[in-house]
Amino acid sequence: NAGVTQTPKFQVLKTGQSMTLQCAQDMNHEYMSWYRQDPGMGLRLIHYSVGAGITDQGEVPNGYNVSRSTTEDFPLRLLSAAPSQTSVYFCASSYLGDLGGYTFGSGTRLTVV
Amino acid sequence: SQQGEEDPQALSIQEGENATMNCSYKTSINNLQWYRQNSGRGLVHLILIRSNEREKHSGRLRVTLDTSKKSSSLLITASRAADTASYFCATDTGGTSYGKLTFGQGTILTVHP
């Protein structure tokens, strides 16, 4: 049981480049979300999904795009990378209605130069 | 602004001592959760307490919730060096935000051997 898998673990982008951060879970969780973690800011919600075909914005959605074509995958797309998007990105999943808490991936450390 | 605010921001103790971290929040919640994050890793779910519960135990962890004061505390008894990590509280406000967690900025706990 792999849990939540994020790839890549590290990435360096140039300003203006685009890329996709991958997130996959094998627990059949309905709920998936993306957070970014910056020093002193805690975790902030970027986008989330309550099931395949359903996505919604979180607290800091600008500059990011998501889709949820399957239950397992929830990729995060950076449309035109900016230095302000330098951060550590975490994907998390859970069952809807299951009060067992989120399962987090190990994170993607992104640097935009 | 953050829904959850942890206090203190940093805590340094000796092995064997108890560690207490506090979390305050601003709006009504469905449940409150605590997570641990080891350096450079993803978050790990520790314990969840529902809004109608006042206290919950899990091993060396004890969580209390006071909804009238909008606050929670996490007590780790008989701390070990391996407990060194950042600890985050997260609130689920339920309703239309069901499943969405808002995280505080965390408490950095250092346990000295």
Side-chain angles (χ1 to χ4, degrees):
Chain A
N1 217 357
V4 177
T5 302
Q6 288 186 238
T7 56
K9 292 190 183 304
F10 301 93
Q11 183 71 48
V12 178
L13 287 180
K14 294 182 179 179
T15 298
Q17 287 185 319
S18 63
M19 79 159 294
T20 299
L21 280 62
Q22 301 292 343
C23 175
Q25 53 93 7
D26 61 358
M27 298 168 285
N28 205 30
H29 285 168
E30 301 97 341
Y31 186 89
M32 297 186 74
S33 56
W34 278 100
Y35 286 85
R36 60 177 289 173
Q37 184 177 31
D38 302 292
M41 300 290 289
L43 280 82
R44 292 181 291 169
L45 181 63
I46 304 171
H47 285 285
Y48 67 100
S49 168
V50 298
I54 306 169
T55 63
D56 205 348
Q57 296 180 350
E59 182 185 355
V60 289
N62 292 340
Y64 307 95
N65 201 1
V66 293
S67 60
R68 183 98 179 268
S69 57
T70 67
T71 300
E72 294 78 19
D73 300 298
F74 191 44
L76 178 72
R77 296 182 186 86
L78 278 70
L79 308 174
S80 178
S84 61
Q85 294 178 303
T86 293
S87 187
V88 181
Y89 292 85
F90 288 100
C91 179
S93 71
S94 73
Y95 289 115
L96 274 181
D98 178 4
L99 301 184
Y102 284 14
T103 300
F104 276 82
S106 58
T108 294
R109 186 174 295 273
L110 175 68
T111 302
V112 182
V113 298
Chain B
S1 61
Q2 296 291 328
Q3 159 78 325
E5 300 284 347
E6 282 97 339
D7 172 63
Q9 290 187 343
L11 181 61
S12 181
I13 60 173
Q14 295 295 127
E15 210 167 28
E17 294 180 339
N18 295 341
T20 299
M21 289 159 269
N22 303 296
C23 171
S24 60
Y25 57 92
K26 298 176 181 176
T27 62
S28 296
I29 61 171
N30 185 44
N31 64 75
L32 185 144
Q33 304 177 28
W34 286 91
Y35 288 80
R36 183 187 75 232
Q37 183 181 34
N38 292 91
S39 181
R41 309 292 293 273
L43 281 73
V44 174
H45 180 256
L46 294 176
I47 196 165
L48 180 151
I49 187 164
R50 302 175 186 179
S51 59
N52 62 353
E53 296 175 315
R54 292 297 168 257
E55 187 171 314
K56 205 162 183 180
H57 296 257
S58 177
R60 294 184 296 113
L61 305 180
R62 172 180 170 249
V63 170
T64 61
L65 179 65
D66 187 335
T67 54
S68 66
K69 295 181 179 179
K70 292 186 169 59
S71 67
S72 173
S73 67
L74 171 68
L75 169 67
I76 304 174
T77 60
S79 296
R80 305 165 182 169
D83 293 327
T84 294
S86 293
Y87 291 81
F88 295 88
C89 69
T91 53
D92 179 349
T93 56
T96 57
S97 297
Y98 184 76
K100 288 168 59 177
L101 289 186
T102 303
F103 286 82
Q105 297 180 11
T107 293
I108 300 172
L109 173 65
T110 303
V111 182
H112 300 281

Short mmCIF file of all heavy atoms in Angstrom, two decimals, chain B residues 15-58:
data_model
loop_
_atom_site.label_atom_id
_atom_site.label_comp_id
_atom_site.label_asym_id
_atom_site.label_seq_id
_atom_site.Cartn_x
_atom_site.Cartn_y
_atom_site.Cartn_z
N GLU B 15 14.26 15.21 27.69
CA GLU B 15 13.62 13.90 27.57
C GLU B 15 13.00 13.52 28.91
O GLU B 15 13.60 13.74 29.97
CB GLU B 15 14.66 12.87 27.15
CG GLU B 15 14.13 11.73 26.34
CD GLU B 15 15.22 10.92 25.67
OE1 GLU B 15 16.35 10.88 26.21
OE2 GLU B 15 14.96 10.35 24.60
N GLY B 16 11.80 12.98 28.86
CA GLY B 16 11.09 12.58 30.07
C GLY B 16 10.09 13.61 30.55
O GLY B 16 9.17 13.27 31.29
N GLU B 17 10.27 14.86 30.15
CA GLU B 17 9.34 15.91 30.54
C GLU B 17 8.09 15.85 29.67
O GLU B 17 8.06 15.23 28.61
CB GLU B 17 9.99 17.28 30.42
CG GLU B 17 11.14 17.50 31.40
CD GLU B 17 11.77 18.88 31.25
OE1 GLU B 17 11.61 19.51 30.18
OE2 GLU B 17 12.43 19.32 32.20
N ASN B 18 7.04 16.52 30.13
CA ASN B 18 5.82 16.64 29.34
C ASN B 18 5.88 17.89 28.47
O ASN B 18 6.47 18.90 28.86
CB ASN B 18 4.60 16.72 30.25
CG ASN B 18 4.38 15.46 31.05
OD1 ASN B 18 4.90 14.39 30.70
ND2 ASN B 18 3.62 15.57 32.12
N ALA B 19 5.26 17.81 27.30
CA ALA B 19 5.20 18.95 26.40
C ALA B 19 3.74 19.30 26.15
O ALA B 19 2.93 18.42 25.83
CB ALA B 19 5.87 18.62 25.07
N THR B 20 3.42 20.57 26.30
CA THR B 20 2.05 21.03 26.05
C THR B 20 2.05 22.10 24.99
O THR B 20 2.80 23.08 25.08
CB THR B 20 1.42 21.59 27.34
OG1 THR B 20 1.37 20.56 28.33
CG2 THR B 20 0.00 22.07 27.06
N MET B 21 1.22 21.90 23.98
CA MET B 21 1.06 22.88 22.91
C MET B 21 -0.39 23.28 22.84
O MET B 21 -1.28 22.44 23.04
CB MET B 21 1.49 22.26 21.58
CG MET B 21 2.99 22.06 21.48
SD MET B 21 3.44 20.83 20.25
CE MET B 21 3.48 19.38 21.27
N ASN B 22 -0.62 24.53 22.55
CA ASN B 22 -1.98 25.07 22.52
C ASN B 22 -2.35 25.56 21.14
O ASN B 22 -1.49 25.97 20.35
CB ASN B 22 -2.11 26.21 23.51
CG ASN B 22 -1.75 25.79 24.92
OD1 ASN B 22 -2.40 24.94 25.52
ND2 ASN B 22 -0.68 26.37 25.46
N CYS B 23 -3.63 25.51 20.86
CA CYS B 23 -4.15 25.94 19.56
C CYS B 23 -5.42 26.72 19.80
O CYS B 23 -6.31 26.27 20.53
CB CYS B 23 -4.42 24.71 18.69
SG CYS B 23 -5.29 25.06 17.15
N SER B 24 -5.51 27.90 19.21
CA SER B 24 -6.74 28.67 19.27
C SER B 24 -7.28 28.85 17.86
O SER B 24 -6.51 28.90 16.90
CB SER B 24 -6.50 30.03 19.92
OG SER B 24 -5.55 30.77 19.18
N TYR B 25 -8.58 28.92 17.74
CA TYR B 25 -9.20 29.09 16.42
C TYR B 25 -10.32 30.10 16.51
O TYR B 25 -10.69 30.54 17.60
CB TYR B 25 -9.70 27.74 15.89
CG TYR B 25 -10.67 27.02 16.80
CD1 TYR B 25 -12.04 27.19 16.66
CD2 TYR B 25 -10.21 26.15 17.78
CE1 TYR B 25 -12.93 26.54 17.49
CE2 TYR B 25 -11.10 25.50 18.61
CZ TYR B 25 -12.45 25.68 18.46
OH TYR B 25 -13.34 25.04 19.29
N LYS B 26 -10.84 30.49 15.34
CA LYS B 26 -11.71 31.66 15.33
C LYS B 26 -13.18 31.34 15.09
O LYS B 26 -14.06 32.04 15.60
CB LYS B 26 -11.23 32.64 14.24
CG LYS B 26 -9.82 33.15 14.48
CD LYS B 26 -9.34 34.03 13.34
CE LYS B 26 -7.92 34.51 13.58
NZ LYS B 26 -7.40 35.30 12.43
N THR B 27 -13.46 30.31 14.30
CA THR B 27 -14.86 30.03 13.96
C THR B 27 -15.27 28.66 14.47
O THR B 27 -14.43 27.84 14.83
CB THR B 27 -15.09 30.12 12.45
OG1 THR B 27 -14.30 29.12 11.80
CG2 THR B 27 -14.68 31.48 11.90
N SER B 28 -16.55 28.39 14.45
CA SER B 28 -17.05 27.09 14.90
C SER B 28 -16.47 25.97 14.05
O SER B 28 -16.21 26.15 12.85
CB SER B 28 -18.58 27.07 14.80
OG SER B 28 -19.12 28.02 15.67
N ILE B 29 -16.24 24.84 14.67
CA ILE B 29 -15.60 23.74 13.98
C ILE B 29 -16.44 22.47 14.04
O ILE B 29 -17.28 22.31 14.92
CB ILE B 29 -14.20 23.43 14.56
CG1 ILE B 29 -14.31 23.05 16.03
CG2 ILE B 29 -13.27 24.62 14.35
CD1 ILE B 29 -13.03 22.52 16.63
N ASN B 30 -16.18 21.59 13.10
CA ASN B 30 -16.74 20.24 13.10
C ASN B 30 -15.81 19.30 13.87
O ASN B 30 -16.27 18.44 14.62
CB ASN B 30 -16.91 19.76 11.66
CG ASN B 30 -17.61 18.43 11.57
OD1 ASN B 30 -18.60 18.20 12.24
ND2 ASN B 30 -17.08 17.55 10.74
N ASN B 31 -14.52 19.46 13.63
CA ASN B 31 -13.53 18.71 14.39
C ASN B 31 -12.20 19.44 14.32
O ASN B 31 -12.01 20.34 13.50
CB ASN B 31 -13.38 17.28 13.87
CG ASN B 31 -12.85 17.21 12.44
OD1 ASN B 31 -11.66 17.42 12.20
ND2 ASN B 31 -13.73 16.91 11.50
N LEU B 32 -11.28 19.05 15.20
CA LEU B 32 -9.94 19.62 15.23
C LEU B 32 -8.96 18.46 15.22
O LEU B 32 -9.18 17.44 15.90
CB LEU B 32 -9.75 20.50 16.48
CG LEU B 32 -8.43 21.26 16.60
CD1 LEU B 32 -8.66 22.63 17.24
CD2 LEU B 32 -7.39 20.48 17.36
N GLN B 33 -7.91 18.62 14.46
CA GLN B 33 -6.94 17.53 14.30
C GLN B 33 -5.54 18.04 14.62
O GLN B 33 -5.24 19.22 14.43
CB GLN B 33 -6.99 17.00 12.87
CG GLN B 33 -8.38 16.54 12.45
CD GLN B 33 -8.44 16.08 11.01
OE1 GLN B 33 -7.46 15.61 10.45
NE2 GLN B 33 -9.62 16.20 10.39
N TRP B 34 -4.69 17.13 15.07
CA TRP B 34 -3.28 17.44 15.30
C TRP B 34 -2.42 16.56 14.39
O TRP B 34 -2.71 15.36 14.22
CB TRP B 34 -2.91 17.20 16.76
CG TRP B 34 -3.44 18.26 17.69
CD1 TRP B 34 -4.64 18.26 18.35
CD2 TRP B 34 -2.78 19.46 18.07
NE1 TRP B 34 -4.76 19.40 19.11
CE2 TRP B 34 -3.64 20.16 18.96
CE3 TRP B 34 -1.54 20.04 17.76
CZ2 TRP B 34 -3.29 21.39 19.54
CZ3 TRP B 34 -1.21 21.25 18.33
CH2 TRP B 34 -2.08 21.92 19.21
N TYR B 35 -1.39 17.21 13.84
CA TYR B 35 -0.46 16.53 12.95
C TYR B 35 0.96 16.78 13.42
O TYR B 35 1.27 17.80 14.02
CB TYR B 35 -0.61 17.05 11.51
CG TYR B 35 -1.87 16.62 10.83
CD1 TYR B 35 -3.08 17.26 11.07
CD2 TYR B 35 -1.86 15.56 9.91
CE1 TYR B 35 -4.25 16.85 10.44
CE2 TYR B 35 -3.02 15.15 9.28
CZ TYR B 35 -4.21 15.80 9.55
OH TYR B 35 -5.36 15.39 8.92
N ARG B 36 1.85 15.83 13.10
CA ARG B 36 3.27 15.97 13.35
C ARG B 36 4.01 15.99 12.02
O ARG B 36 3.65 15.28 11.09
CB ARG B 36 3.79 14.80 14.19
CG ARG B 36 5.25 14.91 14.58
CD ARG B 36 5.75 13.65 15.25
NE ARG B 36 5.94 12.57 14.29
CZ ARG B 36 5.43 11.37 14.41
NH1 ARG B 36 4.69 11.07 15.47
NH2 ARG B 36 5.65 10.45 13.50
N GLN B 37 5.05 16.81 11.95
CA GLN B 37 5.89 16.87 10.77
C GLN B 37 7.35 16.81 11.18
O GLN B 37 7.85 17.73 11.83
CB GLN B 37 5.62 18.13 9.95
CG GLN B 37 6.44 18.18 8.65
CD GLN B 37 6.20 19.45 7.86
OE1 GLN B 37 5.99 20.52 8.42
NE2 GLN B 37 6.21 19.34 6.54
N ASN B 38 8.00 15.74 10.80
CA ASN B 38 9.44 15.66 11.00
C ASN B 38 10.12 16.45 9.90
O ASN B 38 9.58 16.62 8.80
CB ASN B 38 9.90 14.20 10.99
CG ASN B 38 9.41 13.45 12.21
OD1 ASN B 38 8.34 12.84 12.19
ND2 ASN B 38 10.16 13.53 13.28
N SER B 39 11.31 16.92 10.18
CA SER B 39 12.02 17.81 9.27
C SER B 39 12.13 17.21 7.88
O SER B 39 12.59 16.08 7.71
CB SER B 39 13.41 18.11 9.83
OG SER B 39 14.11 18.99 8.97
N GLY B 40 11.66 17.96 6.88
CA GLY B 40 11.78 17.52 5.50
C GLY B 40 10.80 16.44 5.08
O GLY B 40 10.94 15.87 4.00
N ARG B 41 9.81 16.16 5.91
CA ARG B 41 8.86 15.09 5.61
C ARG B 41 7.44 15.64 5.52
O ARG B 41 7.17 16.81 5.80
CB ARG B 41 8.93 14.02 6.71
CG ARG B 41 10.31 13.51 7.03
CD ARG B 41 10.89 12.71 5.90
NE ARG B 41 10.19 11.47 5.66
CZ ARG B 41 10.47 10.33 6.30
NH1 ARG B 41 11.42 10.29 7.20
NH2 ARG B 41 9.79 9.23 6.00
N GLY B 42 6.55 14.77 5.10
CA GLY B 42 5.13 15.13 5.08
C GLY B 42 4.52 15.08 6.47
O GLY B 42 5.15 14.63 7.42
N LEU B 43 3.30 15.55 6.57
CA LEU B 43 2.62 15.56 7.85
C LEU B 43 2.00 14.20 8.14
O LEU B 43 1.55 13.50 7.24
CB LEU B 43 1.52 16.62 7.88
CG LEU B 43 1.97 18.05 8.10
CD1 LEU B 43 2.66 18.61 6.86
CD2 LEU B 43 0.79 18.93 8.49
N VAL B 44 1.99 13.86 9.41
CA VAL B 44 1.41 12.60 9.86
C VAL B 44 0.28 12.90 10.84
O VAL B 44 0.46 13.66 11.80
CB VAL B 44 2.47 11.71 10.54
CG1 VAL B 44 1.81 10.45 11.12
CG2 VAL B 44 3.56 11.33 9.55
N HIS B 45 -0.87 12.32 10.59
CA HIS B 45 -2.04 12.54 11.45
C HIS B 45 -1.84 11.86 12.80
O HIS B 45 -1.45 10.70 12.87
CB HIS B 45 -3.28 11.95 10.77
CG HIS B 45 -4.53 12.13 11.56
ND1 HIS B 45 -5.12 11.11 12.27
CD2 HIS B 45 -5.31 13.22 11.75
CE1 HIS B 45 -6.20 11.55 12.86
NE2 HIS B 45 -6.35 12.83 12.56
N LEU B 46 -2.07 12.63 13.89
CA LEU B 46 -1.90 12.10 15.23
C LEU B 46 -3.24 11.74 15.88
O LEU B 46 -3.41 10.63 16.39
CB LEU B 46 -1.18 13.13 16.11
CG LEU B 46 0.27 13.46 15.73
CD1 LEU B 46 0.80 14.56 16.63
CD2 LEU B 46 1.14 12.21 15.81
N ILE B 47 -4.15 12.70 15.88
CA ILE B 47 -5.37 12.50 16.65
C ILE B 47 -6.42 13.50 16.17
O ILE B 47 -6.09 14.60 15.72
CB ILE B 47 -5.08 12.65 18.16
CG1 ILE B 47 -6.22 12.08 19.01
CG2 ILE B 47 -4.76 14.08 18.52
CD1 ILE B 47 -5.82 11.89 20.47
N LEU B 48 -7.67 13.11 16.26
CA LEU B 48 -8.79 13.95 15.87
C LEU B 48 -9.76 14.02 17.03
O LEU B 48 -10.06 12.99 17.66
CB LEU B 48 -9.47 13.37 14.64
CG LEU B 48 -10.69 14.08 14.05
CD1 LEU B 48 -10.77 13.82 12.55
CD2 LEU B 48 -11.98 13.68 14.72
N ILE B 49 -10.27 15.20 17.31
CA ILE B 49 -11.27 15.36 18.35
C ILE B 49 -12.47 16.08 17.74
O ILE B 49 -12.31 17.09 17.04
CB ILE B 49 -10.69 16.09 19.58
CG1 ILE B 49 -11.72 16.09 20.72
CG2 ILE B 49 -10.21 17.49 19.25
CD1 ILE B 49 -11.09 16.44 22.07
N ARG B 50 -13.64 15.56 17.97
CA ARG B 50 -14.85 16.13 17.41
C ARG B 50 -15.35 17.28 18.28
O ARG B 50 -15.00 17.38 19.46
CB ARG B 50 -15.94 15.07 17.29
CG ARG B 50 -15.53 13.89 16.43
CD ARG B 50 -16.56 12.82 16.42
NE ARG B 50 -16.08 11.65 15.70
CZ ARG B 50 -16.76 10.54 15.54
NH1 ARG B 50 -17.97 10.43 16.03
NH2 ARG B 50 -16.26 9.52 14.87
N SER B 51 -16.18 18.10 17.73
CA SER B 51 -16.64 19.29 18.44
C SER B 51 -17.45 18.95 19.69
O SER B 51 -17.55 19.76 20.61
CB SER B 51 -17.47 20.18 17.52
OG SER B 51 -18.60 19.48 17.03
N ASN B 52 -18.03 17.75 19.75
CA ASN B 52 -18.82 17.37 20.93
C ASN B 52 -18.00 16.55 21.94
O ASN B 52 -18.54 16.03 22.91
CB ASN B 52 -20.07 16.58 20.52
CG ASN B 52 -19.72 15.29 19.82
OD1 ASN B 52 -18.57 15.02 19.52
ND2 ASN B 52 -20.74 14.48 19.55
N GLU B 53 -16.70 16.46 21.71
CA GLU B 53 -15.82 15.76 22.64
C GLU B 53 -14.98 16.78 23.40
O GLU B 53 -14.66 17.85 22.87
CB GLU B 53 -14.91 14.78 21.89
CG GLU B 53 -15.67 13.66 21.20
CD GLU B 53 -14.76 12.76 20.36
OE1 GLU B 53 -13.92 13.29 19.63
OE2 GLU B 53 -14.92 11.53 20.47
N ARG B 54 -14.59 16.43 24.61
CA ARG B 54 -13.81 17.36 25.42
C ARG B 54 -12.38 16.88 25.62
O ARG B 54 -11.48 17.68 25.85
CB ARG B 54 -14.49 17.54 26.79
CG ARG B 54 -15.80 18.27 26.68
CD ARG B 54 -15.61 19.69 26.16
NE ARG B 54 -16.87 20.31 25.79
CZ ARG B 54 -17.26 20.44 24.53
NH1 ARG B 54 -16.52 19.97 23.53
NH2 ARG B 54 -18.42 21.02 24.26
N GLU B 55 -12.18 15.57 25.56
CA GLU B 55 -10.84 15.04 25.78
C GLU B 55 -10.69 13.72 25.03
O GLU B 55 -11.66 12.96 24.91
CB GLU B 55 -10.63 14.82 27.29
CG GLU B 55 -9.23 14.41 27.68
CD GLU B 55 -9.05 14.43 29.19
OE1 GLU B 55 -9.47 15.40 29.84
OE2 GLU B 55 -8.47 13.46 29.72
N LYS B 56 -9.48 13.50 24.56
CA LYS B 56 -9.22 12.26 23.86
C LYS B 56 -7.78 11.84 24.11
O LYS B 56 -6.89 12.68 24.22
CB LYS B 56 -9.47 12.44 22.36
CG LYS B 56 -9.81 11.16 21.64
CD LYS B 56 -10.47 11.47 20.31
CE LYS B 56 -10.88 10.21 19.60
NZ LYS B 56 -11.51 10.47 18.30
N HIS B 57 -7.56 10.52 24.19
CA HIS B 57 -6.23 10.00 24.46
C HIS B 57 -5.81 9.06 23.36
O HIS B 57 -6.64 8.35 22.76
CB HIS B 57 -6.21 9.24 25.79
CG HIS B 57 -6.51 10.08 26.98
ND1 HIS B 57 -5.55 10.51 27.86
CD2 HIS B 57 -7.68 10.58 27.43
CE1 HIS B 57 -6.12 11.23 28.81
NE2 HIS B 57 -7.41 11.30 28.58
N SER B 58 -4.50 9.05 23.08
CA SER B 58 -3.94 8.07 22.17
C SER B 58 -2.49 7.85 22.59
O SER B 58 -1.63 8.68 22.34
CB SER B 58 -4.01 8.56 20.73
OG SER B 58 -3.39 7.64 19.85
#
